[in-house]
Amino acid sequence: MKTINIYIFAGLLFLLSACQEVIEVPLDNTNPKLVVEGAITNQPGPYYVKLSQTGDFYSTAPAPKVTDAVVTISDDAGNSEVLTHLSDQPGTYATSSLQGETGRTYTLTIVHEGQNYQAQSKLLPVTNIDKLEVRFVPESPTKDEGYYIYFFAKEPQGETNYYRFMVYENDSLYNSINDLLVSNDDFIKGDIENLELGYAFQLNDEVKLEMHSISKEVYDYYIGLINIYNNDGGLFSPPPVNPPSNISNGALGVFRASSVVSQTVTITGEE
Amino acid sequence: MNVSKGLLLLIFCALFGYSHAQSKYTISGYIKDARSGEELIGATVYVQELGTGATSNAYGFYSLTLPEGNYTLLYSYVGFINQKKALTLTSGQTINIELSEESVQMQEVVVSAQKMDENVTEVKMSRENIKIERIKSMPALFGEVDVLRSLQMLPGIQSAGEGTTGLFVRGGSADQTLMLLDEATVYNASHFLGFFSVFNPDAIKDIELYKGGIPAEFGGRLASIVDVRMKDGNSKNFAASGGIGTISSRLTLEGPLVKDKASYIISGRRTYADLFLKLSPDEAINSNTLYFYDLNAKMNYKINDKNRIFLSGYFGKDVFGFDDVFGLNWGNTTTTLRWNHLFSPKLFLNTTVLFSDFNYGFDINDGAQNFQWKSNLQEYALKLDFNYFLNPSNELKFGSNTMVHRFSPATIKPKNSNSIFESFALDNKYAVEQAFYLSNNQKISDRLSLQYGLRYSLFQNVGPGRVFQYAPGVPKADNTIVDTVSYGRLEKINLYHGLEPRLGARFLVDQNSSVKASYNRMRQYLQIASNSTAGLPIDRWVPADSYIKPQIGDQVAVGYFRNFKDNMFEASVEVYYKWMQNQIDFKDGAEILLNNNLEAELLSGKAWAYGSEFMLKKNTGRTTGWISYTLAKAQRQIEGINNGNPYSPRYDRRHNVSLVLTHELSPRLSLSGNWVYTTGSAVTYPQGFYEVEGQRIAYYPQERNTSRMPAYHRMDLSLNLAGKKKPGRKWESSWNFSLYNAYARKNAFTIQFRDVINGDPGVSEFDDDLVINTREPKAVKTSLFGIVPSVTYNFKFQ
């Protein structure tokens, strides 16, 4: 439903052939805030937690990495592991033995510069992908020519479920902001058939689709992230706010636990 | 409460305190335009011997009750030639008067016999009335004369931003302004996402805007009332008028059905940008749809001297589509049936039955992702408005207004069985809104006049409907609903009611100057649920209910009014202070459109605004126009926003200057210009960045709207060239050439903080075959318009 606004804005800009230019706007800078990106799944580990900090807006340097934190993941079954910092990937911490299990609740604890940060996420089950179909679509005003993938699944009804989809083409993840595909099942039928994935693939591409279960908090975070990325600061946009994080103590980012299912198809040209 | 009791007492004194024994007679009648037969609203009758007078009401009716004697009556109306009438009053009389328009040449010859000093002498303050002719002479965006955009040139009235037509009056939001078209509420007065308003200037007779001292007959919104009245149609002879413009064409036909008894007007306008789209060879462009149209129609029938009927309607629609994948349309429909009845020469009643509808819908048709979404809100109303012209010192108004609201916020249906979506509808909501009012305009002495009144309003939510009950002591959310109470048809769910006192006073300091003061309380039971500033057609109107309290606003205003040089110049200063309760906002990221329990997303608090408005107007001569300056501040304080501290809403602008001028170079040629300056909008700028999901994301502070966009200023020019007028010639025409944003100021519409690729803000990272050389975070300003030239041809035949 969020796409409606985007259509409207696109129309508006088209109508007015607006003019854009870079201007100088002096900005204040915040005190550095901790930024967390962590995930645990029901797939075999290791699982990673990446820590960094906010930087000056106009700086072109990458975000400063946090390499000296103590990062722990524990579950509600009494398992706990302190993650190891990977010196070849500064800011990334990895598990070595922990195994994510559906139904358990995971707690991430970070101690950094005397501050304590915490997040919880429940590892929810996910439905299966029944099949993926491949069909050729000719060029049209709204679509590029190519092979499109159609998704089939049975979606459990009676409760609200949230999903994140990840698309890999020949093992590389689509990772722009437009590829951050999240969805809930409000207004969605139990039998999902022929749901088109918005990518035009070419012959011989190997495409993998992963479906991750996420919690409402994580879903709200992703929606907030997409909104803030698309917020143009204009009068039709809501006031800009940071995405709601599930991490305590003013940290940014998210910690999520997900069940994952996936399917892979190779585009052979057959319909 | 004490204010209210005092007001009631005053009204009763006025009613029963004037039973002198002297014999008195009533002069009454209608004041009309001699050329078209249109009734004139707000024309004055002045009794020279007594120094008192009356003003014609919204239907051109006036009534004066005077003691027996010899009088000279002077009838006048701005831009029309005065008429004198000497009479000996020994019995009641009906005097219908037709005034003739001053022609351009006559303006310098005619010496105004009566001073046009209404702004000094009337009790009303904070009231704006721009003549439609003045609006038509102002330069316009794309040459499209726009009533609402012209109102934004007045002090205390702001827009949300470049081009948009929503009115933000004295620190109020756009949904706190009530837009009435022939008394029917227009819920979304915009076309093209707010760039044009729905009021077709050719069909409009009169526009009045109240931003303070709001009379008791109006209610329902906190900030202002925009009362737009449609023309009744030429009752003398057939006339056609119209225009061909850069983006739209207009045609109006009017004439008598039965001479001097019945007349009609029908007026239409349609844009044709979409016709140009079709010419494009690019399929991505020519498969799009984009247009709007308006249709106004009205007829009236004079049954006899005591009864007259008016039927008017408005129908407008916007249609917007991308290929056949996405379609959006929205529109308003209003219908008004009115019956004027004269019980006696002193008692006038207007009865109105009206219907208003706003609906929007969209269509998504992208393979299995297809659905149709419809939303609609409707209002049915019955209004009774009495005018009782008790004596020259007291004019009473009283009446009632009963409205039934029906909200159908969203119904979603899959377009076919292949859709992945299922049918879904939000609960419909029903409410009955009622108001009763009584007010008096009383002349206490030659210097002091009062206008006081009381309005009592009620708002009743009725079934069918359901109300969610939440667990006490925890935030309202989906998962804290403990019970759902269902209500049957017409069953009472929740009631709000309250008094709204209104008070105005005018003290004449001398012949040319006055001091005025006013107080009003307003109650508002409907509002737009939105967390953005400017309205979109898909905005959701929500009624007050068990969880959303009605908004209450109070305003005091004081002003000094002075005219110079025989009323050639009008000057005024007004100072106001406003405070508003039960202001709502929404949690960050709130789902508003598709939510049955909106109360879970709600935040509430208060707001206040204050300011001063300076205005200097020149009414006569070859150069006319005004300059105004507003110094104002608006604040909101809402728990959960800005750490609970007061903050500036986006539309809080400290300084605002408007200059509007028209100069007649010759009887056929006139030059007009506007200039506006406003402080930039209050906005939130980032204070850093962070990296997640491989993206750079701007970091925003908790504090809201502490930064300012660059100041906005713009000049518009237009040249109006009228064809040669020849006596007896039935065809008149004129050309209008206009330049919007004449010095090409690149005003910021938005400032976005984002990555700029290869130093070019126009490059998107999703462009095909893009080679990214550099990627730097920058502030990117988007400005909508450079110089916008336009040409319009207007014609008139009669």
Side-chain angles (χ1 to χ4, degrees), chain B residues 488-503:
Chain B
R489 195 175 147 76
L490 292 177
E491 200 177 339
K492 291 171 184 173
I493 299 176
N494 188 59
L495 173 72
Y496 289 110
H497 63 109
L499 288 170
E500 305 175 37
R502 314 287 172 85
L503 184 61

Side-chain angles (χ1 to χ4, degrees), chain B residues 29 69 121 651 654 772 782:
Chain B
T121 55
Y651 51 82
R654 203 68 62 243
I772 299 180
T782 300

Side-chain angles (χ1 to χ4, degrees), chain A residues 4 19-21 23 30 33 37 54-57 59 143 164 175-176 178 187 189 229 233 235 239 242-243, chain B residues 366 417 419-422 531 533-534 650 687-689 693 695-696 700 754 761 765-766 779 781-783:
Chain A
I4 291 154
C19 145
Q20 297 196 321
E21 64 185 357
I23 57 168
T30 178
K33 300 268 185 304
E37 273 194 291
T54 54
D56 292 357
F57 179 81
S59 150
K143 272 187 194 136
R164 175 171 180 185
N175 64 353
S176 85
N178 287 358
F187 327 118
K189 288 197 297 202
Y229 189 88
L235 58 164
N242 301 319
Chain B
D366 190 6
S417 59
S419 175
I420 60 161
F421 295 103
E422 47 186 18
N531 47 15
T533 303
R650 187 184 176 94
Q687 290 187 351
F689 86 99
E693 300 293 330
Q695 309 294 324
R696 283 180 64 106
Y700 286 90
R754 61 172 173 88
E765 64 178 305
F766 307 112
K781 175 177 85 175
T782 300
S783 38

Side-chain angles (χ1 to χ4, degrees), chain B residues 7-54:
Chain B
L7 288 175
L8 272 178
L9 199 67
L10 269 173
I11 292 171
F12 282 112
C13 288
L15 268 175
F16 303 110
Y18 282 80
S19 43
H20 305 296
Q22 196 184 3
S23 49
K24 289 183 174 180
Y25 302 102
T26 302
I27 307 161
S28 64
Y30 292 87
I31 306 175
K32 298 180 196 181
D33 177 343
R35 186 173 171 182
S36 65
E38 289 272 343
E39 274 72 16
L40 298 172
I41 301 174
T44 55
V45 197
Y46 182 73
V47 189
Q48 287 192 329
E49 286 76 7
L50 300 179
T52 154

